[in-house]
Amino acid sequence: MINAFLRLASSFRNRMILIFLSITILPFILFSAYAHTKSIEGIQQANITFSMSYLEQAKINVETYLAQLNEGINSLIGDKTLQYLLERPPLSPKEEETISVDMLSIVYEKKKQMDALQLRVYPLIPADYPTYMRALEESASVGEEEWFRQAADSNVPYWQLSVSDGPNRGPLLSYIKTFTSLHSRTPRGIVVTDLADNHLSRFFSPTKRLQRQKFLIIDDKDAILFDSAENEWTGDVLPSPQLLAKRNLYNEGVEKLSIYDQEHLITFVRMDSLPWTIISLTPMDALVEPVTEMNHLLLVIIIVYLLVSIGVVIYLTRNFTQPVLRLVRLMRKLEEGDFGMYIPHQERKDEIGWLFRGFGSIVRKIEDLIAQSTRAERSKKELEFQVLSHQINPHFLYNTLESIRWKAENNGRSDIGEMVSALGNLLRLSLNQGKDITTVGREIDQVKAYVQIEQARIGMPLRVVYFFDEDMLNITFMRLLLQPLVENAIQHSIRGNFEHGKVILSGRIEEQDLVIDITDNGKGIPDSVIQALEEESEDQKMSGRSGVGLRNVNERLKIYFGLEYKLQIESKEGIGTRITIRHPILKEKLENGA
């Protein structure tokens, strides 16, 4: 960089340009930096003043609301009828039903007078009030839950936060209070009042709130009871030990701290009636966003001014040395095999224009030749695939088999009808509406149809087991891959030992590939067959041994997806064989019924 600067400053013209830029640009940049700093300080101070004023008002509103809520609960507890109903357990089911109706009426009337989501009164022994508990849609075993026992053993009311994972229900803040008799300290029951997030969010919706500014309420255990930003952090512990420590020392304050790796301007106020703290969090990038936009505009102006100032130098160089240098770079890219480079169009009529146009013409001709070669290779592979996969006319066989099945069933030979039906189903799945790809589920159905035919043909059951996750069954898959391998395992590996022979098909997803294993406990595949499968000479491909079987599947995988997707075979004589198919997860989606 230093050498480049020295070369640039060696010219008198360039030195004058640099001096001019230093005189005009540097003072402008220094002034902009000073204005930026003062603007941020002013915005921060205005936000602190507004936030503290708003938090003080929100504290008063919240405390007033909670005081009214507590008065309503005390009014319910002081109801003499409710006290009488809970004075003793009911002596009979009929009495219990009468008490349940009366209690529900009292609670319902009081609920209409209170600004709460839900109001519930629990007897100290819920099991003695089954009808009442069913009406509350609560189990009588609620008395055994930890929160209930904690409330019953304590005369001090407390708040409890419960967060539901359901899609239609948010966090609930419950006020739990155990009440006693009006004339003694004998416990009578428990009152639970539920508040939804909207009961508190109405106190934290300022019209001038900055973007991404949020308000929190935390309790004395540092847990977040309320988050105005759609309860993003509700139920979590506030991850700021510095703020929590300062909250314990002061009733209000201002801090600039980092929370979840983002710097915030924080103001807080402690409540008087409850051990809660109301906090305002404003991201610093949101505060400085207006100033940042102004700086961006200023930067654009500086860049434009700089470009205009050095325009003369650019004009002098771009018409001579730069075009030649650009052409040399393009040639080097061409030597490296980069045919996707952009070649600018030249309207010049001189030798440089002729060079650019001639070079572009040569590149286009080379691209056309490569494209022709690619199309020819693709056509060759498609023809090879058609030779490997298309064998007979399946439409004719499918229609003929349907006629045979119909005649067999009309003549009472259901076994023949089932076998022909399975064969017809196998043929239909093989046909696949003329498409080269299907789904994993349809391939498995094709294997099952083939196994059914083999069982009927040999007259004894075959043990073929399938282990596939449900989410794999609808994934796109090349057709006619599994059935030839299962057929090979049945015909050449476990044949002669069907009573103990077993074939297992299992599938899984590894990164961007489907991996399917076909395992059997048969005789194994000879090494000579596996070695021949690896050979790829033209004589072996044309020898006719590649029909429907291992070579067929192996060749199709290599033609369609490349050499890295060929079959992987592990086989030991007398122990068994495991053949692994690795198939890429295709982006193509099949139409319904494909």
Side-chain angles (χ1 to χ4, degrees):
M1 181 179 293
I2 296 177
N3 293 333
F5 179 79
L6 292 176
R7 286 196 301 270
L8 183 64
S10 61
S11 169
F12 175 79
R13 179 195 58 203
N14 293 342
R15 287 199 298 269
M16 293 302 298
I17 293 175
L18 292 175
I19 293 173
F20 175 76
L21 294 177
S22 299
I23 294 174
T24 57
I25 299 297
L26 288 180
F28 191 72
I29 293 176
L30 293 176
F31 175 79
S32 300
Y34 177 79
H36 174 76
T37 302
K38 290 300 180 180
S39 299
I40 292 178
E41 291 177 357
I43 292 175
Q44 289 181 1
Q45 189 60 41
N47 180 267
I48 291 171
T49 302
F50 168 77
S51 297
M52 290 299 299
S53 174
Y54 186 83
L55 291 183
E56 288 290 344
Q57 185 61 47
K59 181 185 78 170
I60 296 173
N61 294 338
V62 172
E63 289 184 334
T64 301
Y65 167 72
L66 296 180
Q68 293 175 353
L69 187 68
N70 190 57
E71 288 177 5
I73 295 173
N74 291 335
S75 175
L76 173 64
I77 294 173
D79 190 287
K80 294 182 179 180
T81 303
L82 179 65
Q83 290 279 345
Y84 174 76
L85 294 174
L86 294 175
E87 186 176 7
R88 60 173 177 80
L91 301 178
S92 66
K94 184 175 181 180
E95 183 182 3
E96 190 267 337
E97 292 179 1
T98 303
I99 292 175
S100 299
V101 173
D102 294 338
M103 288 178 60
L104 289 171
S105 298
I106 294 172
V107 174
Y108 178 75
E109 288 298 324
K110 183 57 65 177
K111 168 64 176 61
K112 293 192 297 184
Q113 303 172 13
M114 297 174 61
D115 185 11
L117 177 65
Q118 191 173 5
L119 178 65
R120 293 166 289 170
V121 177
Y122 293 94
L124 286 180
I125 305 178
D128 293 338
Y129 300 81
T131 304
Y132 176 71
M133 297 305 295
R134 286 195 300 271
L136 290 180
E137 297 183 354
E138 291 275 2
S139 172
S141 62
V142 69
E144 303 298 325
E145 296 181 9
E146 182 179 355
W147 73 268
F148 193 95
R149 294 198 303 270
Q150 178 183 351
D153 295 337
S154 174
N155 292 327
V156 179
Y158 65 94
W159 290 87
Q160 177 175 284
L161 177 68
S162 59
V163 180
S164 172
D165 295 332
N168 299 321
R169 186 174 181 182
L172 291 180
L173 188 61
S174 302
Y175 182 59
I176 303 173
K177 186 173 186 178
T178 302
F179 64 93
T180 61
S181 172
L182 296 177
H183 305 292
S184 66
R185 300 187 63 82
T186 303
R188 285 284 187 265
I190 299 174
V191 178
V192 179
T193 307
D194 294 334
L195 302 181
D197 57 332
N198 58 356
H199 288 87
L200 296 176
S201 61
R202 55 189 170 181
F203 303 117
F204 300 96
S205 300
T207 57
K208 296 183 179 180
R209 180 171 62 181
L210 289 175
Q211 184 181 9
R212 293 186 286 130
Q213 182 183 15
K214 68 164 60 183
F215 299 91
L216 307 176
I217 296 179
I218 63 173
D219 61 11
D220 54 340
K221 297 180 181 179
D222 306 332
I224 299 175
L225 303 178
F226 170 77
D227 183 352
S228 64
E230 299 181 354
N231 295 293
E232 182 183 9
W233 299 348
T234 302
D236 298 338
V237 175
L238 186 67
S240 178
Q242 302 94 322
L243 177 60
L244 296 175
K246 190 166 184 179
R247 185 276 310 263
N248 295 330
L249 296 176
Y250 304 98
N251 291 330
E252 63 181 33
V254 179
E255 284 289 339
K256 187 188 293 185
L257 297 171
S258 178
I259 297 179
Y260 289 126
D261 298 328
Q262 185 176 25
E263 192 175 22
H264 292 78
L265 182 63
I266 304 172
T267 55
F268 69 90
V269 173
R270 295 180 61 181
M271 295 178 62
D272 298 328
S273 59
L274 287 172
W276 292 356
T277 304
I278 304 177
I279 300 174
S280 169
L281 298 178
T282 305
M284 290 300 299
D285 55 354
L287 280 175
V288 303
E289 184 175 357
V291 179
T292 303
E293 294 178 356
M294 186 180 299
N295 289 340
H296 290 166
L297 178 61
L298 180 61
L299 180 61
V300 171
I301 295 174
I302 293 174
I303 293 175
V304 171
Y305 183 79
L306 182 63
L307 294 176
V308 171
S309 300
I310 62 176
V312 176
V313 178
I314 295 176
Y315 177 79
L316 294 176
T317 57
R318 67 182 297 271
N319 291 304
F320 298 97
T321 60
Q322 192 66 27
V324 176
L325 179 61
R326 189 181 307 168
L327 186 59
V328 171
R329 290 174 180 173
L330 292 174
M331 290 180 178
R332 289 176 179 175
K333 288 185 178 181
L334 183 61
E335 291 176 354
E336 296 172 356
D338 183 6
F339 294 94
M341 57 186 170
Y342 171 71
I343 302 175
H345 179 68
Q346 287 285 348
E347 295 290 345
R348 297 172 60 167
K349 304 300 182 180
D350 56 7
E351 290 78 3
I352 292 179
W354 296 344
L355 287 173
F356 270 92
R357 289 190 291 272
F359 180 76
S361 178
I362 292 174
V363 171
R364 286 192 295 271
K365 289 181 179 179
I366 294 176
E367 289 178 340
D368 291 339
L369 292 174
I370 293 176
Q372 291 176 7
S373 176
T374 302
R375 287 194 296 270
E377 185 65 21
R378 185 180 299 123
S379 298
K380 177 183 176 182
K381 289 186 176 182
E382 290 176 353
L383 289 174
E384 290 178 355
F385 176 78
Q386 292 175 4
V387 170
L388 290 170
S389 62
H390 295 86
Q391 303 166 32
I392 58 176
N393 185 349
H395 285 287
F396 172 77
L397 288 181
Y398 180 77
N399 294 331
T400 303
L401 289 173
E402 282 295 306
S403 299
I404 295 174
R405 181 184 65 82
W406 177 77
K407 291 184 178 181
E409 290 179 351
N410 282 349
N411 287 276
R413 294 303 303 270
S414 58
D415 54 339
I416 298 177
E418 292 176 356
M419 186 174 181
V420 173
S421 178
L423 182 58
N425 188 35
L426 176 65
L427 186 59
R428 177 180 58 82
L429 292 170
S430 300
L431 182 59
N432 196 40
Q433 296 183 357
K435 296 183 179 180
D436 293 333
I437 55 176
T438 179
T439 63
V440 176
R442 289 175 65 87
E443 274 291 284
I444 296 173
D445 290 341
Q446 183 174 350
V447 172
K448 291 179 179 179
Y450 167 75
V451 171
Q452 183 181 359
I453 294 170
E454 281 297 303
Q455 289 181 147
R457 191 172 63 83
I458 65 177
M460 61 186 308
L462 296 174
R463 294 196 295 171
V464 181
V465 187
Y466 310 88
F467 296 99
F468 290 87
D469 294 336
E470 289 293 333
D471 54 356
M472 286 186 60
L473 300 182
N474 292 325
I475 297 179
T476 302
F477 195 75
M478 184 189 295
R479 67 187 180 105
L480 292 176
L481 291 183
L482 301 184
Q483 185 267 333
L485 299 182
V486 174
E487 179 181 356
N488 188 78
I490 294 175
Q491 296 296 336
H492 302 291
S493 188
I494 67 172
R495 188 174 187 86
N497 189 22
F498 290 134
E499 294 182 356
H500 302 286
K502 180 167 61 176
V503 180
I504 300 175
L505 284 80
S506 61
R508 62 189 182 276
I509 296 177
E510 292 183 358
E511 297 180 352
Q512 298 299 318
D513 290 341
L514 298 174
V515 180
I516 298 178
D517 294 328
I518 297 94
T519 308
D520 65 71
N521 59 350
K523 296 181 292 185
I525 300 176
D527 293 339
S528 59
V529 176
I530 298 178
Q531 184 178 0
L533 190 66
E534 296 294 330
E535 298 175 355
E536 299 184 9
S537 66
E538 292 298 325
D539 294 339
Q540 289 170 336
K541 288 184 179 180
M542 301 301 294
S543 63
R545 292 184 294 160
S546 62
V548 179
L550 293 178
R551 183 173 296 276
N552 183 291
V553 174
N554 193 51
E555 288 297 319
R556 290 172 61 205
L557 285 172
K558 290 191 295 183
I559 289 174
Y560 211 92
F561 303 122
L563 293 177
E564 64 271 20
Y565 286 96
K566 65 182 181 180
L567 292 178
Q568 299 177 8
I569 303 176
E570 299 177 11
S571 182
K572 291 185 179 180
E573 185 175 356
I575 297 178
T577 302
R578 180 173 69 182
I579 301 177
T580 300
I581 294 178
R582 183 172 292 274
H583 187 292
I585 298 177
L586 304 177
K587 296 182 179 180
E588 178 178 355
K589 299 297 182 181
L590 296 179
E591 300 176 357
N592 294 333

